Amino acid sequence: EHELMYGTTDTTFAPDDALTRGMFVTMLYRMEGKPEVTGNTSFTDVAENAYYADAVLWAVKEAITTGTTRTTFSPDAECTRAQIVTFLWRCKK
């Protein structure tokens, strides 16, 4: 209803699949109203046209995340509970 999440296809949602880092920062970004971002991330594993690219850029600029290394974000890695709590805490700080 609030378009925070979409299905994995037009007809499936996959509630038992793991939540990835890319998915989670995208949800946070959408919760914040998809603020305008400019530029590109320095992460080698975030393509400019990836659905999560703007969300990752926003999350880095807002100090919600610094990535998994200086050059990677690991958008397809499972988001751990610790990462979820940390991202939420930093997002609402």
Side-chain angles (χ1 to χ4, degrees), residues 10-31:
D10 288 341
T11 59
T12 59
F13 185 70
D16 295 323
D17 284 2
L19 182 66
T20 67
R21 291 170 51 82
M23 289 174 182
F24 194 70
V25 296
T26 299
M27 288 187 329
L28 293 175
Y29 175 67
R30 290 174 180 163
M31 285 174 57

Side-chain angles (χ1 to χ4, degrees), residues 53-69:
D54 285 348
V56 171
L57 181 58
W58 167 81
V60 170
K61 287 185 175 188
E62 294 296 318
I64 294 166
T65 185
T66 57
T68 52
T69 71

